[in-house]
Amino acid sequence: MTQDPNHKIGLSAEDQRTRTRGANRALALLLIGGALVMLAAAFAVALLVTHG
């Protein structure tokens, strides 16, 4: 039988889901933000190449 690693902390299943949901949301926002920054950088480079 395996032991629950969160047993010592005393987290319920609902608490674990809430923490996981928050972590997933933070990761998604970080990835989307990074993609938007790279898209803005690509447009800046394109503008520099065409008008610079």
Side-chain angles (χ1 to χ4, degrees):
M1 181 169 178
T2 60
Q3 292 183 352
D4 184 8
N6 293 319
H7 177 69
K8 294 178 185 176
I9 302 172
L11 292 177
S12 68
E14 184 63 30
D15 290 336
Q16 291 176 16
R17 280 192 293 271
T18 302
R19 292 178 100 184
T20 302
R21 189 177 305 125
N24 288 343
R25 183 173 294 144
L27 181 60
L29 288 174
L30 181 66
L31 291 173
I32 290 170
L36 290 175
V37 167
M38 287 190 290
L39 184 62
F43 274 107
V45 169
L47 286 173
L48 284 174
V49 168
T50 57
H51 297 307

